[in-house]
Amino acid sequence: MQKQTLKPIDLSKILLPYENKWVALSEDSKKVLGSGKTLEEARKKAEKTKKRFLFIKVPPFDVSYVPSTR
């Protein structure tokens, strides 16, 4: 059985116009299916495509995010 190697996906180009918004991505993470200021707004737009999707909140580009264990 062969090992599958997962390659990273560069979302920077497709997410650039969606700063500080919720985005619904296609299952392969290559297309934006809907977006909005709220998760509900992005969901409603994405449901029109009749496809499966996943959500991501695009952070503001002028701030850094560092997760903490404290």
Side-chain angles (χ1 to χ4, degrees):
M1 184 177 227
Q2 287 184 348
K3 262 188 171 178
Q4 270 190 325
T5 304
L6 298 176
K7 294 183 180 183
I9 300 169
D10 183 7
L11 296 173
S12 62
K13 291 179 183 173
I14 66 169
L15 294 181
L16 193 59
Y18 304 101
E19 179 179 12
N20 207 27
K21 291 186 179 179
W22 281 97
V23 173
L25 294 172
S26 59
E27 282 187 284
D28 63 1
S29 299
K30 293 182 179 179
K31 293 182 184 176
V32 173
L33 303 177
S35 68
K37 289 189 176 194
T38 65
L39 181 61
E40 185 65 20
E41 187 179 341
R43 183 189 61 80
K44 285 180 181 178
K45 290 178 182 178
E47 283 181 340
K48 293 177 184 177
T49 66
K50 303 287 185 193
K51 296 180 182 179
R52 294 178 59 166
F53 44 86
L54 55 103
F55 294 104
I56 184 171
K57 172 71 172 178
V58 181
F61 299 134
D62 61 346
V63 297
S64 296
Y65 174 73
V66 180
S68 175
T69 58
R70 294 184 176 208

